[in-house]
Amino acid sequence: MAQQQQLDEARELFRTGRYEAASACLAGFEGWPSPQHERAHLLRAEILIYRDPVDALEALARSSDVLKSDDTRFDYYILSGRAYAGVRNFDGAAEMFTSAESVAENDPSLLATIALQRARLRCIQGDFDPNDPNFALALTHPDPGLRMLTLTWRAWAHAGLANYRAQITDFRAALAMAREYPASADYKLMGRTLHALIRVAAELGDHEAADDGRNIYETLDWPTELAEEQFLTLRAMAWEAFMRGDSARAQWLFRDSKEVAPSDAWRVMSHVDRAYVARMNRNEPWARDELMQAQAQGRSVVWDATTGEERQALVTLAVLFAPVDMGQAQRYVSNYMRMGKDSVDPTLAIAHDRRANGFTQYASGCVNQVLGNRESAITAFELAYRIFDEAEHHFRAALAAQGLAEITGAAVWIERARTHAGAFPKSAFYKFMTERISRHATPWIEGLTPMQRQLALSICEGLDTRQLSRRFSRSEFTIKREVQTLYNLFNVGSRNDLRDKLEERGVL
């Protein structure tokens, strides 16, 4: 009886995201009687799947000879399949689900469990079909927790086909089920669902969906082991508040997200977010301070070891550095592209999200724009625009269109930038974009070398001769000569006059 109570307590701790405490509850389970002994083996493996699927597979292999009854063998096959999927052994996962079917004996709930795992496996492999019959079968399962998980994975299947409105509908249905059956809701799943819902709602301007997610967030008791899910949800809420026009609340939420950031990589993202917002609020000193903190923090990050969305901080760093340090910007975007997708956790949306490629193309466009590679910049911006326009991601679509307007001066891109920015009429972003696109569109500092473009922007950033010398690896004598050349080209006599001239051209 005592062991059953420990097992029940461990399950509840696991459900609410307290994995260390759950593992502690299972201490000494090797000496427990059956069936608690077997069930503890399985629960330990399930905890490990959330941490490291390789460790989970090792634990399951060591437990194989202990799990002899049909019901424990069934769970063994299901957990093994999930762990195999986590290490990209998709054939092994499929075989395990077939083995589970062999002991299911036509039990409807067990067949529904297998159906969910097969639908999930298709999504993980990038094969998206929200009409897969496996989803319908999985939704017949009597456990509300499993039905919630099914709706969440079907939402990602919709996203894989760029149907983000349908994704929001399924996310909200999953969270409604969590409200109705709170004792069945898995906290980690809820955290990931909340983050994704609020982020997509912000992109589409769906305030009702964002409010729904925020209300649920405030009811949860977030354990420290779900710090990443909490950080991502707070970050999504901050961006949604900013796009809605509540900059004060956005900054408050960005600050809160930084306080719970679970790693240096995520702390870099926190600084990057604040730098981006500061720049849109025309507060360049603040943006520069946040950017320098992000750069300093980023030096301690082994980016190749990251497996999730945190690596996208490199893309945003490239965008933010492009106007002020093209060498650093090129390094960031190149490192991101070099890492590729093979090392990304296949169970995360970023592994298959087409918008991730859009982010990369936009950053590449920004870098090539500053380098003076006109055609490469146009190609990258156009690809980014197509991706974001099709996804109704108006924020990014507006930025890509603005980049094209600056390079080409074409009226069509000016109008598209204005239209997309209009999705957020109360935001500082809208004001920022309106100012940029209302100016006379001229090609971006045409006639200058890449070095001169960077130098002009760095001067306006406030760097003195010594700082410019360090940034560009040139002697102070050479820097002074290049600065005078810029003054002559723009027919100005001071830094302030140069800044005014660039503002007239819509560069600053």
Side-chain angles (χ1 to χ4, degrees), residues 144-158:
L146 189 137
R147 296 201 302 274
M148 179 184 172
L149 182 59
T150 301
L151 287 167
T152 300
W153 276 100
R154 194 174 70 179
W156 287 116
H158 284 302

Side-chain angles (χ1 to χ4, degrees), residues 414-468:
I414 296 172
E415 184 56 34
R416 288 180 183 179
R418 181 179 290 112
T419 299
H420 287 292
F424 313 101
K426 296 181 180 180
S427 69
F429 170 68
Y430 178 71
K431 182 179 179 182
F432 172 82
M433 290 295 293
T434 300
E435 289 176 357
R436 296 295 293 262
I437 60 186
S438 64
R439 293 168 173 159
H440 178 62
T442 56
W444 198 84
I445 324 184
E446 287 291 345
L448 301 187
T449 67
M451 166 67 179
Q452 288 171 333
R453 291 188 183 96
Q454 287 288 159
L455 183 58
L457 290 170
S458 296
I459 290 170
C460 295
E461 188 184 344
L463 272 64
D464 60 25
T465 301
R466 181 175 297 179
Q467 291 169 318
L468 292 169

Side-chain angles (χ1 to χ4, degrees), residues 290-365:
E290 293 288 348
L291 196 53
M292 292 304 102
Q293 290 187 64
Q295 185 180 33
Q297 188 90 61
R299 294 191 185 102
S300 66
V301 178
V302 181
W303 292 103
D304 285 341
T306 62
T307 60
E309 189 179 341
E310 65 267 40
R311 60 174 55 184
Q312 287 189 335
L314 292 172
V315 179
T316 310
L317 279 167
V319 171
L320 292 169
F321 267 102
V324 295
D325 189 339
M326 63 183 174
Q328 192 65 252
Q330 183 71 275
R331 182 178 184 83
Y332 283 132
V333 75
S334 298
N335 273 336
Y336 181 84
M337 296 177 77
R338 175 183 57 80
M339 288 189 293
K341 287 187 175 182
D342 289 345
S343 59
V344 174
D345 182 347
T347 67
L348 298 179
I350 188 179
H352 311 289
D353 194 339
R354 187 165 176 252
R355 292 170 299 175
N357 183 38
F359 298 147
T360 309
Q361 291 300 326
Y362 175 70
S364 179

Side-chain angles (χ1 to χ4, degrees), residues 397-409:
L399 289 171
Q402 179 215 347
L404 287 162
E406 288 180 348
I407 295 172
T408 67

Side-chain angles (χ1 to χ4, degrees), residues 36 45 57 61 133 153 167 174 186 205 225 272 275 330 413 415 446 458 485 489 491:
Q36 289 82 12
L57 286 168
W153 276 100
Q167 182 188 28
D186 180 273
E225 287 164 285
V272 164
Q330 183 71 275
W413 291 117
E415 184 56 34
E446 287 291 345
S458 296
T485 299
L489 287 169
N491 194 28

Side-chain angles (χ1 to χ4, degrees), residues 177-250:
M177 194 168 292
R179 278 194 297 263
E180 185 176 359
Y181 304 100
S184 298
D186 180 273
Y187 274 37
K188 189 177 186 72
L189 174 64
M190 288 181 68
R192 290 188 173 184
T193 303
L194 284 171
H195 154 234
L197 170 65
I198 298 170
R199 184 184 66 178
V200 176
E203 293 167 0
L204 301 186
D206 189 337
H207 301 321
E208 182 180 322
D211 289 343
D212 191 21
R214 186 176 66 251
N215 290 337
I216 294 175
Y217 169 86
E218 292 172 352
T219 67
L220 293 182
D221 178 19
W222 291 85
T224 56
E225 287 164 285
L226 295 184
E228 182 170 322
E229 286 73 19
Q230 185 180 14
F231 167 81
L232 289 170
T233 305
L234 283 166
R235 180 172 176 256
M237 289 165 59
W239 275 108
E240 198 275 333
F242 175 76
M243 301 312 293
R244 193 182 288 203
D246 192 346
S247 291
R249 177 174 171 78

Side-chain angles (χ1 to χ4, degrees), residues 50-72:
Y50 274 173
R51 292 178 167 178
D52 187 337
V54 173
D55 288 344
L57 286 168
E58 179 183 0
L60 285 163
R62 295 182 186 280
S63 303
S64 179
D65 61 338
V66 175
L67 308 172
K68 297 178 180 178
S69 66
D70 283 350
D71 60 336
T72 56

